[in-house]
Amino acid sequence: KATVSVLYCNTHLMSRYLFLFSAAVVLSAGNAHADEVAAVRGLIGRLLPGFEGSFNLDLWDAGKCGGGKQQCFGYSASGGVASLGGTSGVELSMALNHYLKYVANCSVSWKGTGGDSIHLTPPLPDSAPVHIDREHQYHYYANVVTFSYSFVWYTFEDWVREIDWMALNGVNLPLAYTGQEKIYQKVYTSMGVSSEELLNGFFPGPAFLAWGRGQNLMAWGGPLPQEWVDAQWELQRRILPLMREFGMKPILPAFQGNVPVQFVQLFPSANVSRVGTCPTPDSNKYGCAAWLDVLDPLFNRTADLFLQTLIADFGTDHFYAADGTFSTAPPPWYPPPPPLPSPPPPPP
């Protein structure tokens, strides 16, 4: 077995605990250096068609970095050719972006913030040597709710553009939450919940998945079509190799305790709580999501099964995110807070 740790925990679901998951299967997601150079060449072809032959790429050893740093990049340019160096595909991409921005006066940005401003004509402008050591080894990007706000609508072409942007801006630890509903479906059906119950009563619609994953919402905006679940799983299996080709280490979701309400009947001895109160049929259907206590033995069993399935389908770089409940109420086992003291009487 391999022991893998959760990268971060959000809100009070996990704030009491630092816990480890054990997974029986570990698939290597290692990248050959040649893949990283090829990924950057592909980026140059997409971003600067016609200039593919104007850039030399050199993948550095970390010994090139100063002060014991692990990540660094640099470049120089003369005679219409720019030489880029870096300790990974991401660092090479950063060298490209830095050269374009500070030497060639170009800008690469999201469409919503103005898009690209690239007006290059041969030959490439000259540049004295530049070397930059990066202060930190890991550079994180994305938010769990962005995968509902924006990323659920992305095509693979959109993801190629997004991953190129990540590489150009030095991201080497991106959140990768796409396609996880298929993993939950495989796990929960193996534990006795039907696919129909999951699609019609557990998973929210695409725009609300972050709140279903965050355990305070069920089924809202659904039902979730099986074709969509399958397509997102397939999309993730295309996204992850592209991230890894640049030398990125995608952060995959870990099991965090959100379970279908059917667990209450399937596992009557487990400590499964409903988040919040359910005074109306609608709140019982859409709110009051079921939440499995992290100290319950069923949590470890479910977490192991989830990670084994996840790794078998997506591989692993050994980084996982567990995003806690979005509920504003305290966990059911917390004692109620003491009442506030009465305010002092007003002065006479």
Side-chain angles (χ1 to χ4, degrees), residues 28-49:
S28 173
N31 303 290
H33 290 327
D35 292 340
E36 298 183 36
V37 172
V40 180
R41 290 204 181 279
L43 186 162
I44 293 171
R46 291 185 292 273
L47 186 65
L48 305 169

Side-chain angles (χ1 to χ4, degrees), residues 279-305:
T280 68
D282 274 353
S283 64
N284 189 58
K285 178 179 180 181
Y286 298 116
C288 301
W291 188 33
L292 177 59
D293 180 3
V294 71
L295 296 181
D296 192 284
L298 185 61
F299 189 101
N300 286 344
R301 173 186 163 190
T302 310
D304 276 358
L305 183 56

Side-chain angles (χ1 to χ4, degrees), residues 31 47 149 164 195 233:
N31 303 290
L47 186 65
Y149 290 151
D164 283 351
S195 285
W233 181 85

Side-chain angles (χ1 to χ4, degrees), residues 144-146 148-149 204 206-218 258 289 323 326:
V144 292
V145 295
T146 308
S148 288
Y149 290 151
F208 305 97
L209 283 173
W211 286 265
R213 297 163 181 169
Q215 306 171 77
N216 70 340
L217 195 66
M218 303 178 296
N258 48 323
D323 188 61
F326 287 179

Side-chain angles (χ1 to χ4, degrees), residues 125-297:
D126 291 351
S127 171
V130 171
H131 180 100
I132 295 177
D133 295 316
R134 297 243 269 162
E135 191 65 28
H136 303 289
Q137 182 176 358
Y138 294 117
H139 302 266
Y140 173 80
Y141 171 70
N143 185 292
V144 292
V145 295
T146 308
F147 282 81
S148 288
Y149 290 151
S150 303
F151 292 155
V152 290
W153 317 117
Y154 272 29
T155 64
F156 180 67
E157 290 70 28
D158 294 324
W159 270 109
V160 170
R161 166 74 184 184
E162 189 75 13
I163 293 167
D164 283 351
W165 180 93
M166 293 181 198
L168 289 164
N169 288 277
V171 173
N172 59 11
L173 199 65
L175 195 62
Y177 259 33
T178 301
Q180 62 180 282
E181 278 61 43
K182 182 79 168 181
I183 308 300
Y184 278 111
Q185 186 178 43
K186 290 182 178 184
V187 169
Y188 290 149
T189 54
S190 75
M191 299 177 77
V193 185
S194 71
S195 285
E196 291 73 22
E197 288 170 323
L198 294 171
L199 295 170
N200 297 320
F202 180 62
F203 297 133
F208 305 97
L209 283 173
W211 286 265
R213 297 163 181 169
Q215 306 171 77
N216 70 340
L217 195 66
M218 303 178 296
W220 185 263
L224 198 62
Q226 183 66 55
E227 294 81 359
W228 192 90
V229 172
D230 294 340
Q232 289 288 292
W233 181 85
E234 292 285 359
L235 181 59
Q236 177 79 327
R237 287 167 64 89
R238 299 179 70 189
I239 291 168
L240 293 172
L242 185 54
M243 289 179 170
R244 288 166 177 153
E245 285 171 7
F246 279 103
M248 298 178 187
K249 296 186 180 298
I251 304 170
L252 297 175
F255 176 72
Q256 54 202 25
N258 48 323
V259 295
V261 294
Q262 287 79 11
F263 266 42
V264 175
Q265 286 76 42
L266 290 169
F267 306 100
S269 64
N271 187 4
V272 179
S273 303
R274 302 291 295 274
V275 177
T277 57
C278 311
T280 68
D282 274 353
S283 64
N284 189 58
K285 178 179 180 181
Y286 298 116
C288 301
W291 188 33
L292 177 59
D293 180 3
V294 71
L295 296 181
D296 192 284

